[in-house]
């Protein structure tokens, strides 16, 4: 009896010794902050070797990430009077800017051409007119004549690039990159983490996300398409792999006047808020910048034209359209592989 007890205790001791010598399981680390008028959140995982590196601690990484995001704001913010973009908007014809700003504007002009003008980074004066700009006073419908006059001030066809110079052929042209800059910021942080050797992360800036690798135990990052109803219900679960995802919708930012609901998304062609039933657009791409821009373009185009546009691009896109009794899903064939099985 005594011998068996000793053996049993020895086994416990051996098990404790083995478990104490085992490598600790990697855990998820998280950094949170504010940028571009919204939140950012970086979730990442380090290897056991990386965990010993103080430069990769949450405190050290947050300082570096904040610096990266501050640079993006100094380049592309319309809220900072001395940002590159603000200085260009104040100029009469042209301004030399950074490679980063050129990159984002070049992609914006490309999507403008692809979408036949649905995506237009010069639409800011109309957004402000309808009360969805910095003043945030959406309470009444502007006069029709004022809408037409304001439309004369916009148009990406009046914006061009020569080398590192942004050029406008209309002195009053105003560029706002808010529909693409958050996505660009996500790409900046994702690529920064990759350069540091961090392979497993999820970067989120105001709902624009980019994932890479996995969570602990090789579990995939699981994301959700939200159903636009109270209670934040989940419409679909997704595994996006090493990709970015952006969602655009009109169900949160709007105002009502005389019983009519006016979306914050402005159609550059009409000068008015979109009035179709497409409430949510989700786009997957390698680049968050691209996904961000395309989601806005498809939202403006509407359910039929938007799906046709996405299909021509072979782009993974998921649409939710409001019907009297709920929502109708539609998606391109390329999107199907990202659906996660609900368990």
């Amino acid at each position: 009896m005594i011998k068996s007890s000793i053996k049993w205790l020895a086994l416990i001791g051996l098990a404790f010794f083995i478990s104490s010598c085992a490598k600790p399981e990697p855990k998820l680390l998280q950094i949170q902050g504010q940028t571009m008028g919204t939140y950012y959140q970086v979730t990442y995982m380090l290897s056991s070797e990386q965990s010993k590196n103080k430069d990769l601690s949450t405190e050290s990484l947050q300082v570096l990430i904040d610096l990266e995001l501050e640079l993006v704001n100094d380049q592309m913010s319309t809220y900072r009077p001395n940002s590159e973009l603000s200085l260009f908007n104040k100029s009469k014809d042209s301004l030399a800017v950074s490679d980063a700003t050129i990159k984002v504007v070049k992609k914006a002009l490309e999507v403008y051409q692809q979408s036949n003008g649905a995506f237009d980074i010069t639409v800011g004066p109309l957004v402000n007119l309808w009360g969805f700009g910095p003043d945030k006073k959406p309470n009444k419908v502007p006069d029709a004549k004022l809408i037409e006059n304001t439309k004369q001030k916009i148009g990406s066809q009046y914006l061009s690039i020569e080398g590192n110079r942004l050029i406008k052929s209309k002195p009053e042209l105003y560029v706002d990159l808010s529909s693409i800059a958050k996505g660009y910021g996500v790409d900046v942080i994702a690529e920064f983490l990759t350069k540091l050797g961090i392979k497993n992360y999820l970067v989120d800036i105001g709902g624009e996300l980019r994932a890479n690798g996995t969570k602990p135990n090789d579990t995939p990052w699981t994301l959700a398409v939200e159903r636009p109803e109270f209670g934040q219900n989940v419409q679909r679960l997704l595994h996006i792999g090493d990709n970015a995802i952006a969602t655009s919708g009109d169900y949160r930012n709007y105002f009502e006047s005389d019983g009519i609901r006016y979306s914050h998304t402005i159609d550059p062609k009409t000068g008015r808020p979109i009035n179709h039933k497409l409430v949510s657009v989700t786009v997957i791409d390698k680049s968050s910048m691209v996904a961000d821009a395309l989601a806005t373009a498809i939202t403006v185009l509407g359910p039929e034209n938007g799906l046709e546009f996405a299909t021509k691009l072979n782009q993974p896109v998921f649409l939710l359209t409001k019907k009297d009794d709920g929502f109708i899903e539609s998606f391109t064939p390329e999107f199907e592989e990202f659906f996660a099985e609900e368990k």
Side-chain angles (χ1 to χ4, degrees), residues 82 219 275 328:
N82 293 317
T219 306
N275 61 1
I328 299 295

Side-chain angles (χ1 to χ4, degrees), residues 65-78:
I65 287 171
D66 283 340
L67 287 173
E68 293 286 336
L69 292 173
E70 277 298 293
L71 178 57
V72 175
N73 275 300
D74 285 340
Q75 292 162 338
M76 304 175 203
S77 172
T78 55

